[in-house]
Amino acid sequence: MIYADYNATTPLSEAAKAGMAKAFECWGNPSSSHRAGRLANALLEESRERVAKAAGVEAREIVFTSGGSEANGMVLMGSALQCGSDFRLLTSPVEHASVEKALPLLCEKLGTQVERVALAADGALDMEDFRNKLESFRPHLVSLMAANNETGVLFPANEIAEICARTGTLFHTDATQALGKIPSSEFNRADFITLSAHKIYGPKGVGALAIRAGRKLECTRFGGSQEIKRRGGTQNMIGIAGFAAACDDLNDSHYEAIRERRDRFEAGLRNSLSDFTIHGATVARLPNTTCLRFHGIQSEILLTALDLDGFCASGGSACSSGSHSPSHVLTALGLQADEAKEAMRISWGRFTTDEEIDRSIELFVRQVSRIRQRRMERKAQ
Ligand SMILES: Cc1ncc(COP(=O)(O)O)c(C=O)c1O
């Protein structure tokens, strides 16, 4: 099998597995004041420090969640409740479904007003439009992802943070795909930062929201006073310990090697095939992602053929695969619905080898040529 879907999820690293095993032994409730509780609490707080270090924030700013989706929801709902019925939110048309799908509820039930920043060429953020809307719309919260899960395109999170800070506007960035793939110093100036463990070789079902000191956010998950009263519920200790161990294991040099392999894959396709587009290739993007579209071939057909060859990648985002509607990210890039259905996401990772890249190029060349050849034969009949 060649796994090329690291943006959907990553395999568990040995470090993460070892971290989780440690938590099996610390089974106490971290909120209990007796010895068993204190042991668990020590692991919890130590884990918080390690996640904070990877994200470039303070330990007391980390609130553990069940993942990136929950962290995104916490910021949107918490901010809307904090501000009341005149809440204004400035976002983009390409955010993750956990942001996008919360918007109708916010608008219809809580009276939130939403504006979206336009995209520039190839999916980059139109910074002029952002500045204009910040001034004219005067949002309470700006929510813009640091890196897109489908195209890998980066939004300049720290530049946005600085502009927002000058106008006193709070800024949330979804750094789920950015953590570990670009330095945290490129997104850590945001007021709220979403993180997820399973994109960085940690376990699924755990993540965090960094809430920078002094930023106000209404609580939307009630229970005990866990997570500095910001999120009730006994913590997922095994997940958190695995998340912390995965954070320790992050290393920028991994991604330089991955960038080289990704570029080699793209160069290999360019040398052997024509009539395809790599979306986002002309702007700043994640080092591991190729958003690829073979003109005239539905990605579902090509991915099914590749799957039989043992190659795993996804059409659009994993959350929307299986649904036949085109990805909102690709249509926001200006693609027609038919074109959007041709797009697929190839995302490489730490365990990708040179041999896998070479084999993948061969598989693409064979399958794309075969599908096109068959089309031509059918047309000629
Ligand atoms: C950009 C982005 N945000 C949020 C999420 C949701 O993260 P989780 O799966 O941890 O809920 C994902 C997952 O694919 C993502 O890619």
Side-chain angles (χ1 to χ4, degrees):
M1 179 173 92
I2 299 175
Y3 186 72
D5 206 9
Y6 282 78
N7 286 8
T9 198
T10 53
L12 263 186
S13 66
E14 291 307 317
K17 284 182 205 168
M20 291 163 85
K22 207 168 147 189
F24 286 127
E25 305 309 320
C26 275
W27 44 263
N29 186 326
S31 299
S32 301
S33 53
H34 48 60
R35 182 182 300 196
R38 287 199 304 276
L39 281 173
N41 192 257
L43 179 62
L44 174 66
E45 294 313 320
E46 175 209 305
S47 300
R48 201 185 302 284
E49 271 170 32
R50 292 150 71 194
V51 171
K53 189 168 168 230
V57 302
E58 299 294 325
R60 64 195 153 93
E61 297 171 332
I62 290 288
V63 172
F64 286 115
T65 65
S66 64
S69 301
E70 184 190 330
N72 283 344
M74 270 171 81
V75 177
L76 298 183
M77 289 296 170
S79 301
L81 293 170
Q82 183 81 39
C83 287
S85 59
D86 72 337
F87 178 54
R88 292 184 298 279
L89 170 70
L90 181 60
T91 184
S92 86
V94 293
E95 298 298 310
H96 185 257
S98 52
V99 170
E100 188 60 33
K101 291 190 180 166
L103 302 181
L105 178 82
L106 288 177
C107 296
E108 285 156 28
K109 304 276 184 201
L110 299 178
T112 299
Q113 293 172 57
V114 177
E115 276 278 359
R116 287 184 172 84
V117 182
L119 297 184
D122 228 1
L125 198 73
D126 182 335
M127 290 301 283
E128 198 183 324
D129 190 58
F130 166 65
R131 284 194 179 86
N132 290 341
K133 290 204 167 113
L134 193 63
E135 205 180 299
S136 60
F137 182 55
R138 288 180 294 107
H140 296 97
L141 180 75
V142 169
S143 180
L144 293 167
M145 65 204 322
N148 188 275
N149 42 308
E150 293 186 39
T151 59
V153 170
L154 305 177
F155 288 168
N158 270 358
E159 188 186 337
I160 295 167
E162 275 166 28
I163 298 169
C164 285
R166 271 186 243 133
T167 61
T169 313
L170 289 171
F171 171 47
H172 162 238
T173 194
D174 176 354
T176 300
Q177 293 290 348
L179 181 69
K181 298 184 187 125
I182 60 172
S184 61
S185 56
E186 292 185 24
F187 57 77
N188 69 345
R189 289 195 211 145
D191 299 288
F192 305 106
I193 306 168
T194 290
L195 307 167
S196 177
H198 74 104
K199 312 291 185 182
I200 60 158
Y201 311 90
K204 294 164 205 13
V206 61
L209 178 66
I211 305 176
R212 307 312 302 270
R215 288 10 171 234
K216 289 205 165 75
L217 191 67
E218 197 71 56
C219 177
T220 48
R221 174 101 174 234
F222 305 100
S225 50
Q226 292 95 348
E227 300 301 295
I228 332 165
K229 297 192 183 152
R230 294 208 182 260
R231 182 193 187 259
T234 303
Q235 290 89 344
N236 167 8
M237 288 300 297
I238 293 164
I240 288 169
F243 187 12
C247 282
D248 292 346
D249 213 24
L250 291 176
N251 180 340
D252 286 352
S253 67
H254 286 150
Y255 271 89
E256 274 325 299
I258 292 166
R259 183 194 301 279
E260 276 174 27
R261 296 200 170 105
R262 190 269 314 266
D263 291 351
R264 177 175 155 153
F265 170 70
E266 293 183 358
L269 294 186
R270 284 199 177 97
N271 287 338
S272 318
L273 289 167
S274 58
D275 288 331
F276 69 89
T277 305
I278 298 174
H279 294 284
T282 61
V283 296
R285 66 180 162 145
L286 289 174
N288 75 321
T289 309
T290 301
C291 179
L292 189 58
R293 182 169 69 84
F294 287 96
H295 307 169
I297 304 180
Q298 282 212 357
S299 62
E300 212 181 314
I301 293 172
L302 183 52
L303 285 169
T304 306
L306 289 166
D307 190 19
L308 291 173
D309 287 332
F311 180 91
C312 309
S314 65
S317 77
C319 319
S320 63
S321 64
S323 97
H324 289 287
S325 52
S327 141
H328 71 284
V329 173
L330 297 163
T331 50
L333 254 65
L335 269 67
Q336 299 301 311
D338 281 357
E339 294 172 327
K341 287 183 181 175
E342 295 168 354
M344 60 172 74
R345 175 185 69 188
I346 320 285
S347 48
W348 308 104
R350 197 186 286 174
F351 303 115
T352 304
T353 62
D354 286 338
E355 291 69 34
E356 286 180 333
I357 294 289
D358 293 343
R359 174 92 183 113
S360 302
I361 297 167
E362 275 172 35
L363 291 177
F364 269 84
V365 171
R366 200 176 74 208
Q367 292 297 0
V368 170
S369 307
R370 185 187 60 80
I371 294 168
R372 285 187 169 153
Q373 176 69 29
R374 210 184 259 175
R375 289 252 166 100
M376 275 169 45
E377 285 167 7
R378 249 189 249 140
K379 259 192 199 162
Q381 278 168 8

